[in-house]
Amino acid sequence: MKIYDTLTRSLAEITHSGSKVTMYCCGPTVYRDAHVGNLRTFLLSDLIRRTLELQGNSVVQIQNITDVGHMSEDFHDQDKLLTQAKLEKQDPYAIARKYEEGFHLDTQALNILPATGFPRASDHITLMQELISSLIAQGNAYIGSDKSVYFDAASYPGYGELSGNKLDALKPGHRYEYSDDDGKKFHADWALWKSAGSRSEMVWESPWGLGFPGWHIECSAMSMKYLDAKIDIHVGGIDLRFPHHEDERAQSNSYLGRECVNLWVHGEHLLFEGRKMSKSAGNVVLIRDLISRGFDPLALRLVFLENRYRSQMDLTWETIAAANKTISRWRKLFSEVRGVEPQVNEEILESLNDDLDTPQVIQAIRKVEKSSDLTLEEKSAFVLYADKVLGLDLHRKPEVQLLTSELQKLIDDRAAAREAKDWDRSDALRKILESHGLVIQDSASGQEWSWADPK
């Protein structure tokens, strides 16, 4: 299997020196629900793992839970997890566990296989402190004038190779580093351990005083511990390439005296209806938003599969609705076939091994579906094999789709608009209802609705 390596900017074969492929995936920061953009990245590691396992490989996958240690923009007033705890009037650890559980439920809804382990940052403070002490002893880190500990960026000659940034070109205050780092020697250095200052929650004793870990050190510590300091594949979103992964690489490689990660794999950004997804833009989409509209969450998985992971994609409600219809059609076709075993197909393997070309696999399924030369059993054997990686549960019987409360309200609003002879609003509401897969029929006795047959 070949996949794009961010470090070398080229396709590289996935290899492993041990008996199993080791993979580390940057997990969620658990102060809020993961939105669908986050979930696209988590799906990437699932697809890599499924493709490797399809070909007989064993995979050890570690995905961290970030419940302490955050980005600089989290520190204007205080940590976002602490802010959310105050907002919800709960203990910060209760908040972390709440959203951690939500993360697991969302990934389960998308049929993402659970990782081998989900280590929490807050459970590994001593491990991080030991790593920091070693970096200080090696001359890669120092205690700043503010009693925080910083990594000396200039001490690692390969800094910038992953992201393409150069130390002498980085400007002070670059995004994601702590904005109050007055104690460091060079502006591109970053905090390994922050002095607590006025912060009184989620702080720990350390050789350098009361404080808390920096964001980057947790991944170095936990990835090396749980994967024996040799990671075959490191996965994350493209937004983590710099500074998080750049800094993590410098820390881990400095500690080991060698390259810690074989391949760095990054998934591209997700837009929603043409704009970057953000709370301020009001376009954050969660799994529960799909469910409330009557969509199977695996329709979202199909939309992601129809796009290359390294391509920026624009998600819309229309594309989700279309994918929902496609899954329903495929399940209606294949769910009644019994006693068929998946058949190894070289065309599917070739596409998946070519940098996860899932769109090509989806196109192959569409071609097989329409083929007049194959029996339904032969088609089913093909689909069963592809679905081992696609994870769309295509042999699951279609579920009876119930009308959601939101759609019922739209139907009622349209009936009221017709009664008031507000034809413009009636037509507008019809279009909305049809975009959700409903067929609306008007008669002298009123309006009737039904679910559209998959096409």
Side-chain angles (χ1 to χ4, degrees):
M1 179 181 182
K2 290 186 176 181
I3 201 157
Y4 187 82
D5 176 31
T6 304
L7 181 62
T8 61
R9 276 75 166 168
S10 63
L11 288 180
E13 185 174 350
I14 295 176
T15 60
H16 57 99
S17 55
S19 60
K20 298 182 178 181
V21 180
T22 57
M23 179 162 58
Y24 185 82
C25 314
C26 283
T29 301
V30 286
Y31 70 92
R32 64 181 180 187
D33 291 308
H35 58 62
V36 295
N38 305 136
L39 293 168
R40 187 191 186 199
T41 299
F42 301 148
L43 174 62
L44 172 57
S45 58
D46 182 71
L47 295 173
I48 295 171
R49 175 180 169 180
R50 285 175 180 265
T51 301
L52 290 169
E53 291 179 343
L54 183 67
Q55 299 173 84
N57 297 285
S58 295
V59 179
V60 178
Q61 179 187 356
I62 299 299
Q63 186 165 33
N64 70 300
I65 302 294
T66 300
D67 57 357
V68 66
H70 304 287
M71 295 176 276
S72 64
E73 56 189 8
D74 297 341
F75 281 90
H76 293 315
D77 295 308
Q78 61 178 333
D79 181 296
K80 283 189 176 180
L81 200 152
L82 296 177
T83 300
Q84 192 66 23
K86 284 189 175 181
L87 183 65
E88 298 189 29
K89 298 180 180 178
Q90 293 189 49
D91 177 83
Y93 289 104
I95 291 295
R97 300 295 83 82
K98 169 186 173 181
Y99 288 107
E100 180 181 345
E101 178 62 23
F103 157 74
H104 290 304
L105 291 173
D106 287 342
T107 53
Q108 182 180 354
L110 278 185
N111 209 7
I112 293 174
L113 299 173
T116 311
F118 293 98
R120 297 167 178 160
S122 61
D123 292 335
H124 296 80
I125 301 299
T126 299
L127 181 68
M128 296 179 213
Q129 291 178 354
E130 291 171 353
L131 176 54
I132 293 169
S133 294
S134 296
L135 291 172
I136 293 174
Q138 292 176 187
N140 296 110
Y142 59 90
I143 303 171
S145 59
D146 59 354
K147 306 303 180 184
S148 296
V149 182
Y150 298 98
F151 188 92
D152 181 358
S155 72
Y156 180 64
Y159 191 84
E161 291 175 343
L162 185 63
S163 64
N165 289 296
K166 295 182 179 179
L167 281 178
D168 55 5
L170 289 176
K171 297 180 180 180
H174 61 278
R175 191 172 176 234
Y176 295 127
E177 290 310 319
Y178 299 118
S179 57
D180 58 347
D181 288 346
D182 296 327
K184 56 188 179 182
K185 299 176 181 178
F186 179 54
H187 64 79
D189 298 344
W190 63 89
L192 302 175
W193 186 264
K194 283 294 294 178
S195 177
S198 59
R199 177 165 160 168
S200 59
E201 293 181 279
M202 301 192 84
V203 291
W204 292 264
E205 290 291 347
S206 79
W208 318 286
L210 196 66
F212 53 95
W215 177 34
H216 315 305
I217 196 65
E218 66 173 83
C219 283
S220 286
M222 290 188 287
S223 65
M224 289 193 289
K225 172 182 172 61
Y226 289 100
L227 298 174
D228 296 326
K230 189 61 180 176
I231 297 96
D232 295 318
I233 313 165
H234 195 307
V235 182
I238 194 66
D239 56 312
L240 298 182
R241 179 178 55 181
F242 181 82
H244 183 49
H245 289 163
E246 189 74 74
D247 294 355
E248 181 189 340
R249 176 174 179 257
Q251 294 164 173
S252 300
N253 290 2
S254 295
Y255 173 74
L256 294 172
R258 61 171 172 80
E259 200 72 50
C260 183
V261 174
N262 281 346
L263 297 174
W264 292 90
V265 181
H266 293 94
E268 255 295 348
H269 288 297
L270 175 73
L271 303 178
F272 185 75
E273 296 183 337
R275 295 185 300 166
K276 180 180 177 181
M277 192 175 297
S278 68
K279 188 175 180 180
S280 59
N283 65 345
V284 171
V285 179
L286 309 177
I287 287 293
R288 63 172 175 264
D289 297 324
L290 274 72
I291 295 172
S292 71
R293 287 177 175 242
F295 296 133
D296 186 327
L298 293 184
L300 176 67
R301 184 173 176 119
L302 176 55
V303 175
F304 288 159
L305 292 169
E306 290 180 308
N307 294 266
R308 295 297 289 266
Y309 76 92
R310 284 199 291 125
S311 299
Q312 186 178 95
M313 65 170 288
D314 188 6
L315 183 70
T316 67
W317 286 119
E318 287 74 17
T319 56
I320 296 172
N324 200 67
K325 288 182 180 180
T326 299
I327 286 182
S328 296
R329 184 180 74 245
W330 284 345
R331 286 183 182 155
K332 186 176 181 180
L333 179 63
F334 298 117
S335 63
E336 298 301 325
V337 182
R338 294 289 179 266
V340 174
E341 294 295 325
Q343 295 296 316
V344 175
N345 185 278
E346 294 300 325
E347 179 185 1
I348 293 173
L349 277 178
E350 184 178 346
S351 296
L352 293 172
N353 284 334
D354 181 18
D355 199 24
L356 281 178
D357 193 351
T358 55
Q360 188 64 36
V361 177
I362 299 298
Q363 286 301 318
I365 290 179
R366 294 183 188 277
K367 182 179 178 181
V368 163
E369 178 191 11
K370 296 176 181 177
S371 173
S372 58
D373 298 326
L374 299 174
T375 66
L376 183 57
E377 287 73 18
E378 289 172 327
K379 293 178 180 182
S380 183
F382 181 94
V383 169
L384 265 177
Y385 184 71
D387 207 33
K388 284 179 174 289
V389 171
L390 301 182
L392 298 172
D393 287 351
L394 295 181
H395 277 68
R396 190 174 82 199
K397 287 189 175 182
E399 298 175 0
V400 177
Q401 196 169 353
L402 301 177
L403 199 64
T404 65
S405 58
E406 289 84 357
L407 289 177
Q408 183 62 63
K409 185 178 185 305
L410 290 174
I411 287 174
D412 293 342
D413 289 348
R414 186 173 184 275
R418 283 178 54 77
E419 188 173 344
K421 301 187 184 305
D422 187 347
W423 308 121
D424 288 342
R425 177 163 173 73
S426 173
D427 289 343
L429 289 170
R430 173 195 284 273
K431 291 179 180 179
I432 294 173
L433 289 165
E434 289 175 344
S435 73
H436 289 287
L438 271 66
V439 174
I440 306 298
Q441 293 179 320
D442 295 321
S443 66
S445 59
Q447 66 177 357
E448 296 180 354
W449 68 270
S450 63
W451 291 108
D453 290 331
K455 296 180 181 179

